[in-house]
mmCIF file of all heavy atoms in Angstrom:
data_model
loop_
_atom_site.group_PDB
_atom_site.id
_atom_site.type_symbol
_atom_site.label_atom_id
_atom_site.label_comp_id
_atom_site.label_asym_id
_atom_site.label_seq_id
_atom_site.Cartn_x
_atom_site.Cartn_y
_atom_site.Cartn_z
ATOM 1 N N LEU N 1501 -34.861 -19.092 -18.713
ATOM 2 C CA LEU N 1501 -34.473 -20.348 -19.366
ATOM 3 C C LEU N 1501 -34.016 -21.412 -18.371
ATOM 4 O O LEU N 1501 -34.008 -22.591 -18.696
ATOM 5 C CB LEU N 1501 -33.342 -20.092 -20.372
ATOM 6 C CG LEU N 1501 -33.677 -19.233 -21.583
ATOM 7 C CD1 LEU N 1501 -32.427 -18.986 -22.405
ATOM 8 C CD2 LEU N 1501 -34.753 -19.876 -22.425
ATOM 9 N N ILE N 1502 -33.644 -21.002 -17.174
ATOM 10 C CA ILE N 1502 -33.162 -21.936 -16.160
ATOM 11 C C ILE N 1502 -34.295 -22.802 -15.609
ATOM 12 O O ILE N 1502 -34.100 -23.958 -15.261
ATOM 13 C CB ILE N 1502 -32.467 -21.164 -15.010
ATOM 14 C CG1 ILE N 1502 -31.235 -20.443 -15.555
ATOM 15 C CG2 ILE N 1502 -32.083 -22.090 -13.872
ATOM 16 C CD1 ILE N 1502 -30.619 -19.456 -14.587
ATOM 17 N N HIS N 1503 -35.498 -22.248 -15.557
ATOM 18 C CA HIS N 1503 -36.635 -22.956 -14.962
ATOM 19 C C HIS N 1503 -37.075 -24.135 -15.820
ATOM 20 O O HIS N 1503 -37.225 -24.020 -17.030
ATOM 21 C CB HIS N 1503 -37.803 -21.991 -14.750
ATOM 22 C CG HIS N 1503 -37.454 -20.860 -13.832
ATOM 23 N ND1 HIS N 1503 -37.294 -21.031 -12.482
ATOM 24 C CD2 HIS N 1503 -37.200 -19.559 -14.079
ATOM 25 C CE1 HIS N 1503 -36.969 -19.885 -11.933
ATOM 26 N NE2 HIS N 1503 -36.902 -18.965 -12.879
ATOM 27 N N LYS N 1504 -37.268 -25.260 -15.177
ATOM 28 C CA LYS N 1504 -37.628 -26.490 -15.898
ATOM 29 C C LYS N 1504 -38.988 -26.373 -16.597
ATOM 30 O O LYS N 1504 -39.195 -26.967 -17.639
ATOM 31 C CB LYS N 1504 -37.647 -27.669 -14.932
ATOM 32 C CG LYS N 1504 -36.280 -28.018 -14.394
ATOM 33 C CD LYS N 1504 -36.305 -29.306 -13.625
ATOM 34 C CE LYS N 1504 -35.037 -29.637 -12.932
ATOM 35 N NZ LYS N 1504 -33.806 -29.460 -13.562
ATOM 36 N N GLU N 1505 -39.918 -25.617 -16.029
ATOM 37 C CA GLU N 1505 -41.234 -25.469 -16.643
ATOM 38 C C GLU N 1505 -41.163 -24.707 -17.965
ATOM 39 O O GLU N 1505 -41.990 -24.880 -18.847
ATOM 40 C CB GLU N 1505 -42.199 -24.734 -15.697
ATOM 41 C CG GLU N 1505 -42.534 -25.485 -14.421
ATOM 42 C CD GLU N 1505 -41.425 -25.381 -13.366
ATOM 43 O OE1 GLU N 1505 -40.697 -24.363 -13.338
ATOM 44 O OE2 GLU N 1505 -41.275 -26.342 -12.598
ATOM 45 N N PHE N 1506 -40.192 -23.824 -18.058
ATOM 46 C CA PHE N 1506 -40.005 -23.048 -19.277
ATOM 47 C C PHE N 1506 -38.703 -23.499 -19.913
ATOM 48 O O PHE N 1506 -37.634 -22.997 -19.632
ATOM 49 C CB PHE N 1506 -39.937 -21.549 -18.961
ATOM 50 C CG PHE N 1506 -39.850 -20.695 -20.189
ATOM 51 C CD1 PHE N 1506 -40.981 -20.446 -20.949
ATOM 52 C CD2 PHE N 1506 -38.646 -20.151 -20.594
ATOM 53 C CE1 PHE N 1506 -40.909 -19.663 -22.087
ATOM 54 C CE2 PHE N 1506 -38.558 -19.366 -21.735
ATOM 55 C CZ PHE N 1506 -39.694 -19.116 -22.482
ATOM 56 N N ASN N 1507 -38.771 -24.498 -20.748
ATOM 57 C CA ASN N 1507 -37.574 -25.095 -21.315
ATOM 58 C C ASN N 1507 -37.660 -25.107 -22.838
ATOM 59 O O ASN N 1507 -37.833 -26.158 -23.448
ATOM 60 C CB ASN N 1507 -37.391 -26.510 -20.755
ATOM 61 C CG ASN N 1507 -36.019 -27.050 -21.066
ATOM 62 O OD1 ASN N 1507 -35.149 -26.329 -21.507
ATOM 63 N ND2 ASN N 1507 -35.846 -28.339 -20.839
ATOM 64 N N PRO N 1508 -37.532 -23.932 -23.447
ATOM 65 C CA PRO N 1508 -37.617 -23.908 -24.913
ATOM 66 C C PRO N 1508 -36.355 -24.493 -25.539
ATOM 67 O O PRO N 1508 -35.318 -24.573 -24.898
ATOM 68 C CB PRO N 1508 -37.715 -22.413 -25.215
ATOM 69 C CG PRO N 1508 -36.964 -21.768 -24.112
ATOM 70 C CD PRO N 1508 -37.231 -22.626 -22.898
ATOM 71 N N HIS N 1509 -36.475 -24.901 -26.769
ATOM 72 C CA HIS N 1509 -35.290 -25.394 -27.463
ATOM 73 C C HIS N 1509 -34.416 -24.200 -27.871
ATOM 74 O O HIS N 1509 -34.905 -23.089 -28.035
ATOM 75 C CB HIS N 1509 -35.674 -26.240 -28.677
ATOM 76 C CG HIS N 1509 -36.302 -25.445 -29.773
ATOM 77 N ND1 HIS N 1509 -37.638 -25.135 -29.791
ATOM 78 C CD2 HIS N 1509 -35.760 -24.884 -30.880
ATOM 79 C CE1 HIS N 1509 -37.908 -24.418 -30.868
ATOM 80 N NE2 HIS N 1509 -36.796 -24.253 -31.547
ATOM 81 N N VAL N 1510 -33.153 -24.448 -27.994
ATOM 82 C CA VAL N 1510 -32.220 -23.424 -28.457
ATOM 83 C C VAL N 1510 -31.797 -23.832 -29.855
ATOM 84 O O VAL N 1510 -31.311 -24.938 -30.071
ATOM 85 C CB VAL N 1510 -31.001 -23.311 -27.515
ATOM 86 C CG1 VAL N 1510 -30.004 -22.303 -28.065
ATOM 87 C CG2 VAL N 1510 -31.440 -22.925 -26.118
ATOM 88 N N SER N 1511 -31.991 -22.929 -30.782
ATOM 89 C CA SER N 1511 -31.666 -23.238 -32.174
ATOM 90 C C SER N 1511 -30.716 -22.177 -32.722
ATOM 91 O O SER N 1511 -30.494 -21.137 -32.107
ATOM 92 C CB SER N 1511 -32.933 -23.306 -33.015
ATOM 93 O OG SER N 1511 -33.613 -22.061 -32.974
ATOM 94 N N PHE N 1512 -30.183 -22.452 -33.888
ATOM 95 C CA PHE N 1512 -29.285 -21.512 -34.550
ATOM 96 C C PHE N 1512 -29.555 -21.521 -36.040
ATOM 97 O O PHE N 1512 -30.142 -22.459 -36.586
ATOM 98 C CB PHE N 1512 -27.819 -21.871 -34.268
ATOM 99 C CG PHE N 1512 -27.337 -23.084 -35.003
ATOM 100 C CD1 PHE N 1512 -26.669 -22.964 -36.219
ATOM 101 C CD2 PHE N 1512 -27.555 -24.356 -34.499
ATOM 102 C CE1 PHE N 1512 -26.225 -24.091 -36.898
ATOM 103 C CE2 PHE N 1512 -27.116 -25.485 -35.162
ATOM 104 C CZ PHE N 1512 -26.447 -25.348 -36.370
ATOM 105 N N SER N 1513 -29.115 -20.451 -36.692
ATOM 106 C CA SER N 1513 -29.139 -20.400 -38.148
ATOM 107 C C SER N 1513 -27.871 -19.720 -38.623
ATOM 108 O O SER N 1513 -27.290 -18.899 -37.919
ATOM 109 C CB SER N 1513 -30.374 -19.645 -38.671
ATOM 110 O OG SER N 1513 -30.271 -18.274 -38.366
ATOM 111 N N ILE N 1514 -27.438 -20.095 -39.806
ATOM 112 C CA ILE N 1514 -26.242 -19.524 -40.414
ATOM 113 C C ILE N 1514 -26.659 -18.851 -41.710
ATOM 114 O O ILE N 1514 -27.223 -19.501 -42.596
ATOM 115 C CB ILE N 1514 -25.171 -20.603 -40.679
ATOM 116 C CG1 ILE N 1514 -24.743 -21.262 -39.371
ATOM 117 C CG2 ILE N 1514 -23.976 -20.005 -41.412
ATOM 118 C CD1 ILE N 1514 -23.810 -22.450 -39.530
ATOM 119 N N ASP N 1515 -26.410 -17.549 -41.787
ATOM 120 C CA ASP N 1515 -26.751 -16.755 -42.968
ATOM 121 C C ASP N 1515 -28.199 -16.953 -43.403
ATOM 122 O O ASP N 1515 -28.494 -17.113 -44.595
ATOM 123 C CB ASP N 1515 -25.794 -17.055 -44.128
ATOM 124 C CG ASP N 1515 -24.428 -16.431 -43.924
ATOM 125 O OD1 ASP N 1515 -24.339 -15.412 -43.210
ATOM 126 O OD2 ASP N 1515 -23.446 -16.965 -44.483
ATOM 127 N N GLY N 1516 -29.110 -16.977 -42.447
ATOM 128 C CA GLY N 1516 -30.536 -17.055 -42.751
ATOM 129 C C GLY N 1516 -31.047 -18.433 -43.117
ATOM 130 O O GLY N 1516 -32.193 -18.571 -43.555
ATOM 131 N N SER N 1517 -30.250 -19.456 -42.939
ATOM 132 C CA SER N 1517 -30.704 -20.818 -43.244
ATOM 133 C C SER N 1517 -31.797 -21.224 -42.264
ATOM 134 O O SER N 1517 -32.042 -20.545 -41.270
ATOM 135 C CB SER N 1517 -29.532 -21.798 -43.169
ATOM 136 O OG SER N 1517 -29.047 -21.879 -41.845
ATOM 137 N N SER N 1518 -32.425 -22.353 -42.518
ATOM 138 C CA SER N 1518 -33.472 -22.824 -41.599
ATOM 139 C C SER N 1518 -32.854 -23.166 -40.248
ATOM 140 O O SER N 1518 -31.688 -23.553 -40.151
ATOM 141 C CB SER N 1518 -34.195 -24.044 -42.184
ATOM 142 O OG SER N 1518 -33.275 -25.087 -42.405
ATOM 143 N N ASP N 1519 -33.658 -23.012 -39.190
ATOM 144 C CA ASP N 1519 -33.185 -23.254 -37.830
ATOM 145 C C ASP N 1519 -32.826 -24.712 -37.615
ATOM 146 O O ASP N 1519 -33.501 -25.614 -38.121
ATOM 147 C CB ASP N 1519 -34.263 -22.856 -36.819
ATOM 148 C CG ASP N 1519 -34.451 -21.353 -36.727
ATOM 149 O OD1 ASP N 1519 -33.669 -20.616 -37.348
ATOM 150 O OD2 ASP N 1519 -35.378 -20.920 -36.020
ATOM 151 N N GLN N 1520 -31.741 -24.911 -36.854
ATOM 152 C CA GLN N 1520 -31.313 -26.241 -36.437
ATOM 153 C C GLN N 1520 -31.134 -26.212 -34.935
ATOM 154 O O GLN N 1520 -30.798 -25.172 -34.362
ATOM 155 C CB GLN N 1520 -29.981 -26.612 -37.089
ATOM 156 C CG GLN N 1520 -29.994 -26.607 -38.597
ATOM 157 C CD GLN N 1520 -28.596 -26.873 -39.125
ATOM 158 O OE1 GLN N 1520 -27.935 -27.824 -38.721
ATOM 159 N NE2 GLN N 1520 -28.129 -26.027 -40.022
ATOM 160 N N LEU N 1521 -31.335 -27.347 -34.276
ATOM 161 C CA LEU N 1521 -31.134 -27.398 -32.837
ATOM 162 C C LEU N 1521 -29.657 -27.255 -32.491
ATOM 163 O O LEU N 1521 -28.801 -27.863 -33.137
ATOM 164 C CB LEU N 1521 -31.665 -28.709 -32.262
ATOM 165 C CG LEU N 1521 -33.176 -28.840 -32.165
ATOM 166 C CD1 LEU N 1521 -33.556 -30.208 -31.616
ATOM 167 C CD2 LEU N 1521 -33.755 -27.753 -31.270
ATOM 168 N N LEU N 1522 -29.388 -26.474 -31.459
ATOM 169 C CA LEU N 1522 -28.027 -26.304 -30.982
ATOM 170 C C LEU N 1522 -27.589 -27.575 -30.275
ATOM 171 O O LEU N 1522 -28.271 -28.072 -29.388
ATOM 172 C CB LEU N 1522 -27.953 -25.117 -30.006
ATOM 173 C CG LEU N 1522 -26.588 -24.817 -29.410
ATOM 174 C CD1 LEU N 1522 -25.642 -24.310 -30.485
ATOM 175 C CD2 LEU N 1522 -26.718 -23.795 -28.293
ATOM 176 N N SER N 1523 -26.444 -28.122 -30.685
ATOM 177 C CA SER N 1523 -25.917 -29.332 -30.061
ATOM 178 C C SER N 1523 -24.398 -29.323 -30.189
ATOM 179 O O SER N 1523 -23.834 -28.548 -30.964
ATOM 180 C CB SER N 1523 -26.480 -30.588 -30.730
ATOM 181 O OG SER N 1523 -25.982 -30.699 -32.052
ATOM 182 N N GLU N 1524 -23.763 -30.192 -29.436
ATOM 183 C CA GLU N 1524 -22.304 -30.295 -29.512
ATOM 184 C C GLU N 1524 -21.854 -30.685 -30.921
ATOM 185 O O GLU N 1524 -20.803 -30.249 -31.386
ATOM 186 C CB GLU N 1524 -21.770 -31.309 -28.496
ATOM 187 C CG GLU N 1524 -21.905 -30.891 -27.054
ATOM 188 C CD GLU N 1524 -21.238 -29.556 -26.712
ATOM 189 O OE1 GLU N 1524 -20.198 -29.200 -27.309
ATOM 190 O OE2 GLU N 1524 -21.766 -28.864 -25.831
ATOM 191 N N GLN N 1525 -22.634 -31.498 -31.609
ATOM 192 C CA GLN N 1525 -22.273 -31.935 -32.951
ATOM 193 C C GLN N 1525 -22.247 -30.767 -33.939
ATOM 194 O O GLN N 1525 -21.521 -30.804 -34.930
ATOM 195 C CB GLN N 1525 -23.247 -33.014 -33.463
ATOM 196 C CG GLN N 1525 -23.167 -34.325 -32.740
ATOM 197 C CD GLN N 1525 -23.885 -34.313 -31.394
ATOM 198 O OE1 GLN N 1525 -24.735 -33.459 -31.133
ATOM 199 N NE2 GLN N 1525 -23.527 -35.239 -30.518
ATOM 200 N N ASN N 1526 -23.034 -29.719 -33.670
ATOM 201 C CA ASN N 1526 -23.104 -28.574 -34.576
ATOM 202 C C ASN N 1526 -22.079 -27.489 -34.258
ATOM 203 O O ASN N 1526 -21.904 -26.561 -35.043
ATOM 204 C CB ASN N 1526 -24.498 -27.942 -34.528
ATOM 205 C CG ASN N 1526 -25.552 -28.857 -35.068
ATOM 206 O OD1 ASN N 1526 -25.299 -29.625 -35.985
ATOM 207 N ND2 ASN N 1526 -26.741 -28.783 -34.512
ATOM 208 N N MET N 1527 -21.414 -27.568 -33.120
ATOM 209 C CA MET N 1527 -20.536 -26.474 -32.693
ATOM 210 C C MET N 1527 -19.374 -26.227 -33.645
ATOM 211 O O MET N 1527 -18.983 -25.082 -33.860
ATOM 212 C CB MET N 1527 -20.027 -26.702 -31.268
ATOM 213 C CG MET N 1527 -21.054 -26.425 -30.198
ATOM 214 S SD MET N 1527 -21.770 -24.755 -30.272
ATOM 215 C CE MET N 1527 -20.348 -23.734 -29.906
ATOM 216 N N GLU N 1528 -18.823 -27.268 -34.237
ATOM 217 C CA GLU N 1528 -17.698 -27.063 -35.159
ATOM 218 C C GLU N 1528 -18.145 -26.273 -36.390
ATOM 219 O O GLU N 1528 -17.442 -25.362 -36.838
ATOM 220 C CB GLU N 1528 -17.075 -28.396 -35.562
ATOM 221 C CG GLU N 1528 -15.784 -28.245 -36.348
ATOM 222 C CD GLU N 1528 -14.704 -27.467 -35.600
ATOM 223 O OE1 GLU N 1528 -14.561 -27.636 -34.379
ATOM 224 O OE2 GLU N 1528 -14.000 -26.670 -36.265
ATOM 225 N N SER N 1529 -19.312 -26.587 -36.942
ATOM 226 C CA SER N 1529 -19.792 -25.832 -38.111
ATOM 227 C C SER N 1529 -20.182 -24.409 -37.717
ATOM 228 O O SER N 1529 -19.974 -23.475 -38.497
ATOM 229 C CB SER N 1529 -20.960 -26.549 -38.791
ATOM 230 O OG SER N 1529 -22.059 -26.666 -37.918
ATOM 231 N N ILE N 1530 -20.714 -24.221 -36.518
ATOM 232 C CA ILE N 1530 -21.041 -22.871 -36.021
ATOM 233 C C ILE N 1530 -19.745 -22.068 -35.876
ATOM 234 O O ILE N 1530 -19.658 -20.916 -36.321
ATOM 235 C CB ILE N 1530 -21.791 -22.945 -34.675
ATOM 236 C CG1 ILE N 1530 -23.200 -23.519 -34.887
ATOM 237 C CG2 ILE N 1530 -21.852 -21.588 -33.998
ATOM 238 C CD1 ILE N 1530 -23.928 -23.845 -33.595
ATOM 239 N N ARG N 1531 -18.745 -22.662 -35.249
ATOM 240 C CA ARG N 1531 -17.465 -21.990 -35.031
ATOM 241 C C ARG N 1531 -16.809 -21.607 -36.357
ATOM 242 O O ARG N 1531 -16.348 -20.483 -36.551
ATOM 243 C CB ARG N 1531 -16.546 -22.896 -34.215
ATOM 244 C CG ARG N 1531 -15.319 -22.249 -33.684
ATOM 245 C CD ARG N 1531 -14.494 -23.099 -32.720
ATOM 246 N NE ARG N 1531 -14.867 -24.482 -32.505
ATOM 247 C CZ ARG N 1531 -15.739 -24.912 -31.571
ATOM 248 N NH1 ARG N 1531 -16.326 -24.072 -30.779
ATOM 249 N NH2 ARG N 1531 -16.013 -26.195 -31.462
ATOM 250 N N LYS N 1532 -16.794 -22.538 -37.306
ATOM 251 C CA LYS N 1532 -16.169 -22.290 -38.609
ATOM 252 C C LYS N 1532 -16.888 -21.162 -39.343
ATOM 253 O O LYS N 1532 -16.253 -20.254 -39.879
ATOM 254 C CB LYS N 1532 -16.178 -23.568 -39.445
ATOM 255 C CG LYS N 1532 -15.484 -23.420 -40.776
ATOM 256 C CD LYS N 1532 -15.412 -24.731 -41.513
ATOM 257 C CE LYS N 1532 -14.626 -24.553 -42.789
ATOM 258 N NZ LYS N 1532 -15.332 -24.849 -43.974
ATOM 259 N N ALA N 1533 -18.216 -21.207 -39.346
ATOM 260 C CA ALA N 1533 -18.982 -20.161 -40.029
ATOM 261 C C ALA N 1533 -18.774 -18.796 -39.356
ATOM 262 O O ALA N 1533 -18.591 -17.788 -40.043
ATOM 263 C CB ALA N 1533 -20.475 -20.525 -40.021
#
Side-chain angles (χ1 to χ4, degrees):
L1501 294 175
I1502 297 169
H1503 300 288
K1504 293 189 187 317
E1505 295 79 29
F1506 184 78
N1507 193 11
H1509 68 276
V1510 176
S1511 60
F1512 73 95
S1513 69
I1514 299 173
D1515 286 334
S1517 65
S1518 60
D1519 289 353
Q1520 301 175 50
L1521 286 178
L1522 180 68
S1523 68
E1524 291 303 327
Q1525 292 79 19
N1526 294 326
M1527 284 304 295
E1528 188 58 39
S1529 62
I1530 291 170
R1531 192 172 6 271
K1532 183 175 184 240

